[in-house]
Amino acid sequence: MAGNSFGQLFRITTFGESHGEAIGVIIDGCPSNLEIDMDFIQSELDKRKPGQSKITTQRKESDTVKVLSGIFEGKSTGTPIAMVIPNEDQRSKDYSHIKDAYRPSHADYTYDAKYGHRDHRGGGRSSARETAARVASGAIAKLLLKQAGIEIFAHVSSVGTIESPNVDLNSLSELLEIRESNIVRCADPATANQMIDLIDSIRKDGDTVGGKISCVIRNCPVGLGDPVFDKLHADLGKAMLSINAVHGFDYGSGFDGSEMRGSEHNDLFVPPGTDENNRFKTLTNFSGGIQGGISNGMDITFRVAFKPVATIMQNQESLDSAGNAASVQGKGRHDPCVVPRAVAIVESMAALVLADHYLRNKVVRGSSPI
């Protein structure tokens, strides 16, 4: 089905369920002769895998990726790349109590209503387990973008009401080191400790909490994005909103921009020739690096808001498939907050969007420097 595919030229199709044999992805459109670093792909998956710390689900999955096709002697062949990730630690019995009951704020009812049948084991296809396939393919997109010097960095910028201060983006390598030094993946150490304490206390209460992830894309060439319906920010928004538990997306000034005047919000140009690429730049970046749906060469900035995980370890009143009253309580292993593991997913989806538009832009005009 089309709903399982994403992208036009750099196109992925994911498959598999949370408690099936495996999950996987097919990448179509990856250029040939791209050097494929399998260690890098695995390291990206390790950032998303479950069982990392006390503030993530304790499901134990190595998320070891296996390549079936499309890569030979360490390089892409130009043919479809197929990768699978086995499911190793399913506990389907943990979901037997909701076989006929609908969990509040889950996809149980909507899947059943749409298809007339649902896989209740961990949510089946609606589970965030599917996103491991996106991270594997996003890692390859990152390798493609790296050749063009494009960098992507995301971190947890809030958990509940705890907000991190704006971090200095001058050195993404330093920020990456800070981010990976704490289990919540926040690039501000002091705020990270507060976030960890909050998530752990909420976990002990059998409850969950939401948060936000901030992302920056650096060194993006000018000209990526297409009018009218394939604007770059529109495709980024669709990508982010397709991630489980995402309830909001904004870029640049976002909703705060609605409170400003045009005289405050307009990004004024500075003369060309002020950077190494002789590109136009702007004094401010309220546009978030995108104007008219097309990248303008400035940093692309956006935020992604995640709701609290719907599975809580508390009794909740609900209904079963026959409309009878039912009491539902979460069992098994679940994240008290998704954002620490979702950082890798946000980066991967951004990479998939950028890789697709990067390839699409190459056919727009032959003289393009991109």
Side-chain angles (χ1 to χ4, degrees):
M1 294 177 63
N4 297 303
S5 300
F6 184 81
Q8 293 189 21
L9 293 188
F10 194 98
R11 185 172 178 83
I12 69 166
T13 300
T14 69
F15 60 89
E17 296 85 30
S18 177
H19 285 235
E21 289 294 319
I23 53 176
V25 62
I26 297 173
I27 306 171
D28 203 2
C30 180
S32 63
N33 290 304
L34 177 67
E35 292 191 10
I36 305 297
D37 185 343
M38 293 304 302
D39 290 337
F40 173 72
I41 296 173
Q42 191 60 57
S43 71
E44 292 291 282
L45 285 164
D46 289 346
K47 295 171 186 173
R48 195 224 67 97
K49 73 178 181 180
Q52 296 181 38
S53 69
K54 65 181 181 180
I55 61 171
T56 64
T57 171
Q58 294 306 296
R59 178 171 174 168
K60 297 296 182 182
E61 296 283 353
S62 67
D63 278 358
T64 303
V65 64
K66 180 180 180 181
V67 175
L68 302 182
S69 67
I71 299 173
F72 180 65
E73 295 182 340
K75 294 183 179 181
S76 59
T77 62
T79 58
I81 297 173
M83 297 184 286
V84 294
I85 303 166
N87 290 326
E88 302 167 334
D89 189 26
Q90 310 98 311
R91 295 184 188 174
S92 299
K93 66 180 187 302
D94 287 345
Y95 299 90
S96 58
H97 68 296
I98 53 122
K99 181 176 182 295
D100 298 309
Y102 297 140
R103 295 169 294 175
S105 290
H106 281 76
D108 299 342
Y109 169 67
T110 52
Y111 264 58
D112 212 359
K114 180 178 179 65
Y115 299 108
H117 183 56
R118 71 180 175 97
D119 184 349
H120 65 276
R121 304 167 304 164
R125 185 74 176 147
S126 69
S127 169
R129 180 94 186 113
E130 176 269 340
T131 59
R134 307 190 196 196
V135 173
S137 53
I140 291 182
K142 280 187 175 184
L143 292 173
L144 176 62
L145 296 173
K146 185 179 180 181
Q147 291 187 334
I150 300 172
E151 300 177 283
I152 301 173
F153 174 81
H155 83 117
V156 174
S157 54
S158 77
V159 170
T161 58
I162 299 174
E163 298 270 351
S164 72
N166 291 328
V167 295
D168 186 355
L169 296 174
N170 285 331
S171 177
L172 295 191
S173 60
E174 290 181 11
L175 287 179
L176 179 61
E177 185 176 342
I178 296 171
R179 185 192 78 184
E180 292 303 312
S181 69
N182 62 79
I183 58 177
V184 78
R185 290 199 168 86
C186 173
D188 179 69
T191 310
N193 291 330
Q194 297 176 45
M195 291 175 175
I196 293 167
D197 290 343
L198 175 62
I199 296 173
D200 197 34
S201 66
I202 286 175
R203 176 187 65 83
K204 292 174 181 176
D205 290 339
D207 215 335
T208 61
V209 67
K212 300 186 193 76
I213 292 175
S214 295
C215 186
V216 60
I217 302 170
R218 306 204 76 172
N219 305 320
C220 180
V222 182
L224 302 194
D226 291 319
V228 167
F229 300 110
D230 289 345
K231 292 182 170 74
L232 187 57
H233 62 276
D235 281 355
L236 283 170
K238 178 180 180 179
M240 299 306 145
L241 290 166
S242 74
I243 301 172
N244 308 64
V246 170
H247 268 217
F249 167 84
D250 69 2
Y251 74 102
S253 62
F255 284 91
D256 292 339
S258 66
E259 301 172 3
M260 300 170 67
R261 297 187 179 191
S263 55
E264 301 172 292
H265 193 271
N266 286 349
D267 296 319
L268 303 182
F269 288 107
V270 295
T274 55
D275 78 347
E276 63 277 9
N277 296 314
N278 201 39
R279 296 184 302 191
F280 283 55
K281 298 184 75 172
T282 56
L283 289 173
T284 54
N285 191 24
F286 293 119
S287 298
I290 303 171
Q291 292 171 330
I294 298 171
S295 61
N296 67 0
M298 298 293 288
D299 289 349
I300 295 173
T301 58
F302 62 86
R303 296 185 304 168
V304 187
F306 289 78
K307 70 169 185 174
V309 177
T311 299
I312 62 175
M313 302 303 167
Q314 300 176 11
N315 282 321
Q316 298 180 91
E317 297 306 312
S318 189
L319 297 174
D320 63 19
S321 57
N324 300 313
S327 180
V328 176
Q329 180 177 0
K331 294 182 180 180
R333 304 151 299 173
H334 303 277
D335 290 276
C337 181
V338 298
V339 289
R341 294 203 297 135
V343 167
I345 307 169
V346 167
E347 288 189 353
S348 293
M349 292 307 297
L352 290 169
V353 172
L354 266 290
D356 188 42
H357 276 280
Y358 179 77
L359 295 178
R360 287 161 65 176
N361 204 60
K362 282 184 171 292
V363 303
V364 173
R365 62 184 224 190
S367 61
S368 173
I370 300 172

